[in-house]
Amino acid sequence: MQTYDVVIMGAGMSGLCMAVALKKAGMQRFVVIEKSAGLGGTWWDNRYPGAHVDVPAPLYSFSFAPNPKWTRRFAAAAEIQAYMADVAQRFGVLEHFQFNTQVSAARFDEAQGCWNVDIKEPHQAGKTLKAQFFVCSTGPLSKPRWPDIPQLRRFGGVLMHTARWDTQQPLKGQRIGIIGTGSTAAQLVAPLADQASHLTVFQRTPAWVLPRADRRYGRIDHWVARRPWLHAAVRKGWYELLEWGRKGFDEGTAARSTLMRTAQTHLWRQVRDDTLREQLTPKMPLGCKRLIYASDYYPALSRPHVALVTTAIKHATSSGLVTTDGKAHKLDVLVCATGFDVQHSLAHVPIVGTAGRSLDEAWAEAPQAHLGLTVAGFPNLFLMLGPNTATGHTSTLLFIEPAVQWVLKAMQAVQDRGQRSIVVKAEAMQAFNQQLQQRLQAAVWNQCNNWYRADNGRNIAIWPGFTNDYVNAVRRQPFEDFDFG
């Protein structure tokens, strides 16, 4: 059995950040287990045409690793993945990554105060890793959610999910259907419209769309990015702008009025057809679902060979989809841009804490954690981007970095006290989540059906405050709320 100080599951942004932090802290005995063939996490999985980040690139790089090579303000998936590879190389952590390896189970050994993590490599017998600490860095956007459409698997054409894109699949001249009109679909529609002989977009709920102020970066941008104080100023400027945008989720604010006017003007300017414009006009409050930033989405929907279907889907057939009005939509390729199963993102890995209780059992009603980081009954388990750490307005990296630093602090506290484990007290986690849900009760995210909410209606994804609220809460959480053993 191989022994480590830390086993990290997932080689996305948070797993990479954790690895770099451990290396900087002088901890060499750690390993990052990743099921895919390379570094990237969601940026490895999401390779659909048009995939890009929806926050400006200066905020989508680590504060400790600025990237002077960004080619655009909103970086594409491949460019982000290349940045991550560069960071891993720059900080010397690539040797700690083990790819094409699946974590199949994890159990906490109460007698020894450590985790036994089962892994499975291709064409090899499974083996177990032993580690004092276990870090889950898979994040909420890892398990694709397929639409609940009767007879979906009966479809005889090419069926794809955006998070499992087949880059070898020919699309030119095909009749393509897209299910979904969220942020992923908004990025995908225009590139597919350029290739399809006919594109049908199946919409359930229209979303609020803001223009994406994208542009290519030039020599001045790269010159600025290579000067730390100038880069910091640019980064801070974007940070403040997006925090101002967060006010747009609150009723009666100038930011909300501005965002709504901008979105309405954007729709009126880009969609001239009255019927199509009405179909694309949101009926839900701004911010209830994730905002979309796109400047080519509306024009693509207005093209003559693109059809927006707002009638509900009844069932699939071998040749396409049938809507509830009885109309058959013939398709060669069906793309499901239906997001991720956030509620069950860790259900595929049995994780067992104290008293033989699994994380599935602890989360039977809905996932919850203390500051998204720790769960009562699961010593030495740390979650990256766990429950209620998602943000609808800014970069997740701003949440990842302080979380990673606190995990290091917790590990150090265990060692300094001569103990083997740390676990949040059940009453502390309960009090935190009660207060959290009270803050979310009247918030805009609870006013419609969205991926932020579990089956029972509980908001399991969104952090209700501003970025600094989370950063300060993480940094200041007292160890009095934890038990050491």
Side-chain angles (χ1 to χ4, degrees), residues 338-352:
T338 46
F340 299 87
D341 185 355
V342 176
Q343 182 171 351
H344 305 102
S345 59
L346 282 173
H348 65 291
V349 180
I351 298 175
V352 181

Side-chain angles (χ1 to χ4, degrees), residues 444-472:
V444 67
W445 306 288
N446 278 21
Q447 296 177 23
C448 69
N449 292 323
N450 51 46
W451 65 264
Y452 305 142
R453 303 172 73 185
D455 294 339
N456 63 2
R458 181 189 179 98
N459 192 314
I460 60 172
I462 284 287
W463 174 255
F466 293 83
T467 304
N468 261 347
D469 295 336
Y470 181 77
V471 173
N472 291 332

Side-chain angles (χ1 to χ4, degrees), residues 54-56 59 238-249 259 290-291 293 390-396 398-399 445 452 462-468:
D54 56 4
V55 296
L59 272 184
W238 280 116
Y239 171 84
E240 296 294 346
L241 179 62
L242 296 188
E243 290 301 295
W244 173 86
R246 162 61 184 80
K247 297 177 183 178
F249 300 147
L259 291 178
R290 188 170 180 86
L291 296 178
Y293 296 87
T391 165
H393 72 284
T394 194
S395 172
T396 56
L398 301 176
F399 281 52
W445 306 288
Y452 305 142
I462 284 287
W463 174 255
F466 293 83
T467 304
N468 261 347

Side-chain angles (χ1 to χ4, degrees), residues 325-396:
D325 58 3
K327 184 175 181 180
H329 303 268
K330 302 292 186 181
L331 303 170
D332 302 309
V333 179
L334 179 57
V335 177
C336 298
T338 46
F340 299 87
D341 185 355
V342 176
Q343 182 171 351
H344 305 102
S345 59
L346 282 173
H348 65 291
V349 180
I351 298 175
V352 181
T354 57
R357 192 182 189 212
S358 71
L359 194 60
D360 258 2
E361 292 171 324
W363 285 358
E365 293 185 8
Q368 60 176 318
H370 185 66
L371 284 165
L373 282 167
T374 54
V375 181
F378 294 83
N380 293 359
L381 171 69
F382 302 106
L383 309 177
M384 295 287 104
L385 296 179
N388 294 105
T389 58
T391 165
H393 72 284
T394 194
S395 172
T396 56

